[in-house]
């Protein structure tokens, strides 16, 4: 297994462990990945976006951010829905599911549907000692081209491997 510092533009196929200031995550064998964006500053504010997929690297995304103003798992769920409603999903619908635990992290499932298809997100919240709390979102698209689901074993392995810090 290869461990590397997370860098914008890094891409490849798993198994590979990526390390950053906010999390460490292992991309499992069978998933392609592209580090779409990684930004952080000296105030511990930043965002990581890693696209992943079986066929294409845009079938799903892991987002880890300290720039969202949330303070609980319920806030994370509301933030996930709020962001969709600000963008192109104005006519979309959302359904909040049950809590699930992968590794040491409890996520809540949020199903979203809109004019362009559907996506399911696992969202979480991680409380940091410095007060720069983390918003986590793992999403999978369900459109005509993208059939990766959130309950796919590879997506579950990715969620289980993530350690937030």
């Amino acid at each position: 297994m290869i461990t590397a510092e997370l860098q914008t533009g890094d891409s490849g196929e798993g198994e590979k462990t990526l390390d950053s200031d906010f999390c460490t995550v292992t991309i499992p064998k069978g998933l392609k990945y592209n580090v779409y964006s990684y930004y952080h500053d000296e105030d511990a504010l930043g965002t990581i976006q890693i696209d992943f997929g079986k066929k294409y690297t845009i079938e799903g995304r892991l987002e880890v951010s300290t720039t969202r103003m949330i303070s609980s798992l319920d806030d994370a769920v509301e933030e996930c829905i709020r962001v969709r409603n600000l963008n192109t999903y104005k006519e979309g619908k959302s359904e909040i599911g049950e809590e699930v635990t992968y590794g040491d992290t409890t996520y809540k499932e949020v199903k979203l549907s809109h004019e362009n298809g559907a996506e399911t997100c696992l969202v979480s919240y991680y409380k940091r000692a410095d007060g720069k709390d983390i918003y986590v979102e793992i999403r999978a698209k369900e459109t005509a081209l993208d059939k990766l689901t959130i309950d796919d074993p590879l997506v579950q392995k990715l969620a289980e491997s993530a350690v937030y810090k």
Side-chain angles (χ1 to χ4, degrees):
M1 178 170 36
I2 300 169
T3 301
E5 178 67 28
L6 196 93
Q7 295 180 18
T8 298
D10 184 20
S11 63
E13 294 187 35
E15 181 164 300
K16 186 169 182 182
T17 299
L18 301 172
D19 189 36
S20 74
D21 290 336
F22 311 125
C23 78
T24 300
V25 64
T26 299
I27 308 299
K29 186 175 181 178
L31 282 183
K32 298 175 182 183
Y33 73 93
N34 178 47
V35 180
Y36 179 77
S37 174
Y38 177 39
Y39 164 80
H40 66 98
D41 65 20
E42 63 277 352
D43 294 326
L45 293 174
T47 300
I48 300 163
Q49 294 177 330
I50 302 172
D51 291 341
F52 60 85
K54 289 181 176 180
K55 294 180 186 177
Y56 316 102
T57 58
I58 55 168
E59 294 174 89
R61 177 175 279 178
L62 166 65
E63 180 176 338
V64 179
S65 181
T66 60
T67 63
R68 310 283 179 95
M69 298 181 75
I70 62 168
S71 60
S72 70
L73 182 56
D74 289 335
D75 282 354
V77 168
E78 292 303 316
E79 177 70 359
C80 177
I81 294 167
R82 182 189 72 80
V83 168
R84 292 328 182 278
N85 289 338
L86 288 175
N87 294 325
T88 60
Y89 310 127
K90 293 181 186 345
E91 301 301 319
K93 296 182 177 119
S94 59
E95 178 184 329
I96 301 169
E98 298 295 317
E99 289 183 8
V100 292
T101 301
Y102 295 110
D104 293 331
T105 306
T106 299
Y107 298 91
K108 196 165 249 191
E109 191 173 294
V110 180
K111 293 181 181 186
L112 304 142
S113 61
H114 46 82
E115 65 276 6
N116 297 319
E119 62 185 345
T120 304
C121 300
L122 294 175
V123 294
S124 191
Y125 163 79
Y126 179 79
K127 184 157 185 60
R128 290 174 43 135
D130 64 4
K132 308 291 193 242
D133 298 341
I134 292 178
Y135 169 81
V136 178
E137 180 179 296
I138 301 172
R139 66 179 174 243
K141 296 179 183 181
E142 298 168 38
T143 64
L145 294 175
D146 306 309
K147 296 293 182 191
L148 187 64
T149 62
I150 208 74
D151 59 356
D152 184 286
L154 293 176
V155 177
Q156 290 177 348
K157 277 186 178 182
L158 182 133
E160 187 173 299
S161 77
V163 176
Y164 306 103
K165 48 188 174 174

